[in-house]
Amino acid sequence: MNAIKIAKGITEKVESIITEDYFQEIQGKTPRYFQRVAINRAVEAVAKAQNRILLVMATGTGKTYTAFQIIWRLWKSKTKKRILFLVDRNILADQTMINDFKHFGDKMTKIKNRNVDKSYEVYMALYQALLEQKKK
């Protein structure tokens, strides 16, 4: 193990997670440099068992695409078995499922009426829907 890995606390297990490839389509888009930095740092933090991570990105910088790449790498490396992607509007959930997250295919579902089907691996949900109290 080289000195940089030791200094950064990168074990073999962490290395196998952080070296997982990005999702790439043939002639598709690739992450921009600042997205790569955010993706790599987030994946590394999760690989090192950091439970709380906050990414702050400006409007129009590809937050959903960045989130997709983070989730893709954690999912492909089998670091996380179930992943929840929260949004604040239905249109964002629907757009995300159709566009950026479409590559999860039948492994992804949208949580409705607080019902969670545990046969899926990637979940899309409105945070308001998860917090609502059941009406009597």
Side-chain angles (χ1 to χ4, degrees):
M1 191 180 277
N2 69 33
I4 294 174
K5 288 181 189 176
I6 293 169
K8 289 189 81 176
I10 297 176
T11 63
E12 286 183 29
K13 181 181 178 187
V14 170
E15 185 176 15
S16 71
I17 297 166
I18 64 176
T19 57
E20 183 66 44
D21 286 335
Y22 295 101
F23 177 84
Q24 292 185 329
E25 293 180 279
I26 297 172
Q27 297 190 357
K29 64 182 174 180
T30 59
R32 293 177 268 176
Y33 75 94
F34 59 88
Q35 292 170 324
R36 284 194 310 270
V37 170
I39 294 161
N40 291 340
R41 288 183 181 171
V43 169
E44 184 176 336
V46 171
K48 291 180 177 178
Q50 187 174 336
N51 292 322
R52 294 176 185 252
I53 301 163
L54 176 65
L55 294 179
V56 179
M57 297 174 69
T59 301
T61 57
K63 291 179 287 295
T64 303
Y65 179 71
T66 301
F68 165 75
Q69 289 289 351
I70 293 167
I71 293 167
W72 180 264
R73 288 177 63 190
L74 294 172
W75 180 69
K76 288 299 278 186
S77 67
K78 299 186 182 350
T79 302
K80 297 295 178 185
K81 292 182 170 113
R82 289 198 182 106
I83 297 168
L84 174 63
F85 186 77
L86 289 172
V87 296
D88 64 352
R89 289 174 280 164
N90 257 320
I91 188 70
L92 293 177
D94 297 338
Q95 272 183 295
T96 300
M97 289 180 74
I98 293 168
N99 295 326
D100 288 319
F101 282 44
K102 69 183 173 197
H103 307 289
F104 288 116
D106 63 354
K107 303 293 183 199
M108 176 180 54
T109 190
K110 185 175 175 184
I111 296 174
K112 297 176 185 169
N113 302 321
R114 297 177 64 182
N115 293 324
V116 179
D117 180 347
K118 295 196 176 179
S119 65
Y120 293 94
E121 298 172 37
V122 178
Y123 299 89
M124 193 74 52
L126 267 71
Y127 71 84
Q128 299 94 321
L130 295 180
L131 297 174
E132 287 177 358
Q133 296 297 321
K134 290 186 179 179
K135 295 180 182 178
K136 295 181 180 182

